[in-house]
């Protein structure tokens, strides 16, 4: 913690999340009072321990409220007295039987609950953690990088329930601001694959991408993705929260150009030495990935992405908000190094 201090309160929803915890670290470092929501207060100790790994000992400058996106309970208390809200919480249904509605309804309703609570509490602005999935899905091959004017095409048959939920929930948020916001401002951050220092053992899907490589997965599907460091995503949330030019705008968060997964593996091999001894740089043929998807439901969602270039540009955030993300290679290496620290290796 720095010696900075002020009385401005910020609500960060979903305090157990990877991006949310790094947002909390940035806010505490800037001297804000932070309140965060968790579905169960039993996870407060875990969140505080993770923040300690990130270098923060917030004491009473961080408080917790129990609130669930699927229920109205707790949100009035959570938003009370907060000038800003960073809304990163997103329900993730579990199990192979989760329906599309299980993804979409909680995401849409959850966004609206948070926005209503922020508006009614007199907050100035909400920064919504959306996703690249609200931008890139259903388009097929692109001849230019994706940007903030793009929205996922939900008429396509190649849109996953996650991408559909992110698209519809962000659309619902903008519609709410237009119709019922009563002066509440909104900005949206749309990150690509988020890597960087892991603070705890509750990995996100993005982190498992690197973990699986380090653990020796036999090769890499021909999948392309943009990458960005979570510390830069948190910095962009802070800029979107306070910068006048951010109101009413979306911002894509990506560092440099996108990469094929095999090239990510090559970065690990080149930069991590013996620690990357199990990493394979092999590109798996598409037919083999399709065959594997017949047995592994987790692979099925990646099939529409095989061979697609998903390049995007973060130029808008750099130009308008002065954002300057670290190189994508640093994010890849920082992820691997933090995973090794957590495992004690």
């Amino acid at each position: 913690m720095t010696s900075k201090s002020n009385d401005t309160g910020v609500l960060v929803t979903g305090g157990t999340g990877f991006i949310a915890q790094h947002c909390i670290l940035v806010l505490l470092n800037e001297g804000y009072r932070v309140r965060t929501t968790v579905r169960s207060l039993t996870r407060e100790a875990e969140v505080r321990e993770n923040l300690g790994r990130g270098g923060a000992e917030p004491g009473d400058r961080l408080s917790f409220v129990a609130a669930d996106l699927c229920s109205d309970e707790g949100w009035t208390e959570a938003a009370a007295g907060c000038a800003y809200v960073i809304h990163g919480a997103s329900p993730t249904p579990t199990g192979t039987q989760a329906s599309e509605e299980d993804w979409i309804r909680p995401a849409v309703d959850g966004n609206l609950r948070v926005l209503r609570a922020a508006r009614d509490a007199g907050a100035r602005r909400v920064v919504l953690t959306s996703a690249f999935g609200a931008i890139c899905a259903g388009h097929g091959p692109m001849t230019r990088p994706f940007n903030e004017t793009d929205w996922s095409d939900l008429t396509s048959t190649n849109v996953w329930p996650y991408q559909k939920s992110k698209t519809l929930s962000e659309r619902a948020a903008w519609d709410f601001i237009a119709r019922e916001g009563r002066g509440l401002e909104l900005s949206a951050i749309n990150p690509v694959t988020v890597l960087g220092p892991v603070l705890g053992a509750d990995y996100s899907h993005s982190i498992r991408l690197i973990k699986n490589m380090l653990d020796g997965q036999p090769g890499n599907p021909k999948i392309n993705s943009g990458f960005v460091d979570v510390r830069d995503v948190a910095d962009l949330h802070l800029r979107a929260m306070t910068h006048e030019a951010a109101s009413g705008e979306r911002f894509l968060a990506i560092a440099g150009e996108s990469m094929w997964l095999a090239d990510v593996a090559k970065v690990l091999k080149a930069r991590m030495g013996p620690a990357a001894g199990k990493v394979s740089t092999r590109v798996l043929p598409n037919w083999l990935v399709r065959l594997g998807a017949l047995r592994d439901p987790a692979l099925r969602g990646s099939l529409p992405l095989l061979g697609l270039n998903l390049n995007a540009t973060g130029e808008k955030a750099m130009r308008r908000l002065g954002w300057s993300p670290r190189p994508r290679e640093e994010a890849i290496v920082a992820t691997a190094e933090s995973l090794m620290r957590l495992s004690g290796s």
Side-chain angles (χ1 to χ4, degrees):
M1 279 285 289
T2 69
S3 59
K4 301 174 190 174
S5 181
N6 63 51
D7 287 327
T8 304
V10 182
L11 170 63
V12 179
T13 68
T16 58
F18 180 44
I19 295 174
Q21 289 179 9
H22 278 275
C23 285
I24 292 171
L25 287 173
V26 167
L27 291 165
L28 291 171
N29 191 56
E30 290 297 316
Y32 290 95
R33 287 186 299 105
V34 180
R35 184 179 298 138
T36 190
T37 61
V38 287
R39 279 180 287 183
S40 170
L41 292 177
T42 59
R43 299 194 70 178
E44 177 176 346
E46 170 197 335
V47 174
R48 288 188 180 273
E49 181 181 356
N50 290 352
L51 295 174
R53 289 194 187 100
E57 295 297 337
D60 62 4
R61 294 194 68 76
L62 173 66
S63 59
F64 290 75
V65 170
D68 189 313
L69 290 175
C70 295
S71 168
D72 291 335
E73 190 175 350
W75 290 108
T76 298
E77 178 189 354
C82 291
Y84 303 103
V85 176
I86 292 178
H87 176 36
S90 183
T92 304
T94 57
T96 57
Q97 303 305 312
S99 69
E100 192 172 270
E101 189 67 11
D102 292 334
W103 282 91
I104 293 170
R105 185 47 48 196
V108 171
D109 290 350
N111 275 8
L112 297 179
R113 280 191 175 92
V114 172
L115 288 167
R116 286 191 194 99
R119 178 199 64 193
D120 294 347
R124 297 174 209 164
R125 183 179 298 174
V126 173
V127 181
L128 172 66
T129 310
S130 187
F132 188 49
I135 287 175
C136 69
H139 290 286
M142 293 280 282
T143 58
R144 59 163 176 81
F146 284 99
N147 62 48
E148 292 85 355
T149 66
D150 296 311
W151 284 90
S152 290
D153 180 4
L154 302 188
T155 65
S156 169
T157 57
N158 289 332
V159 181
W160 316 345
Y162 167 78
Q163 295 166 327
K164 189 171 284 190
S165 72
K166 282 296 187 182
T167 306
L168 291 173
S169 59
E170 188 189 338
R171 290 273 197 193
W174 289 114
D175 288 345
F176 175 89
I177 291 297
R179 296 175 184 174
E180 305 176 52
R182 300 205 295 265
L184 177 66
E185 297 176 348
L186 179 66
S187 297
I189 307 297
N190 299 76
V192 292
T193 300
V194 182
L195 300 179
V198 179
L199 301 177
D202 190 2
Y203 303 144
S204 67
H205 175 75
S206 299
I207 298 303
R208 290 189 183 279
L209 194 72
I210 304 299
K211 180 76 163 57
N212 291 342
M213 288 182 181
L214 293 172
D215 287 346
Q217 70 179 22
N220 306 282
K222 192 177 182 183
I223 288 178
N224 184 273
S225 178
F227 296 94
V228 65
D229 193 289
V230 66
R231 294 166 290 186
D232 297 319
V233 175
D235 173 67
L236 184 53
H237 277 74
L238 178 64
R239 291 170 186 268
M241 186 181 91
T242 57
H243 203 298
E244 184 178 350
S247 178
E249 300 289 344
R250 312 170 87 198
F251 295 97
L252 239 163
I254 183 173
E257 295 189 353
S258 60
M259 301 174 71
W260 297 98
L261 295 188
D263 293 324
V264 175
K266 289 174 184 175
V267 170
L268 291 172
K269 296 289 276 188
R271 299 277 293 270
M272 296 300 295
K278 295 181 181 179
V279 174
S280 171
T281 59
R282 177 190 177 202
V283 179
L284 297 174
N286 290 349
W287 68 263
L288 186 59
V289 177
R290 292 191 179 99
L291 184 64
L294 295 176
R295 298 189 302 271
D296 183 359
L299 282 176
R300 290 174 198 158
S302 65
L303 297 183
L305 301 178
L306 291 174
L308 278 184
N309 188 325
L310 292 181
N311 196 25
T313 176
E315 184 273 339
K316 179 179 175 181
M318 297 176 196
R319 173 172 44 86
R320 292 204 184 183
L321 305 184
W323 186 58
S324 181
R326 66 203 76 207
R328 58 198 180 171
E329 292 82 4
E330 284 189 30
I332 294 166
V333 172
T335 309
E337 289 175 341
S338 66
L339 287 169
M340 291 172 59
R341 283 195 299 272
L342 279 176
S343 67
S345 58

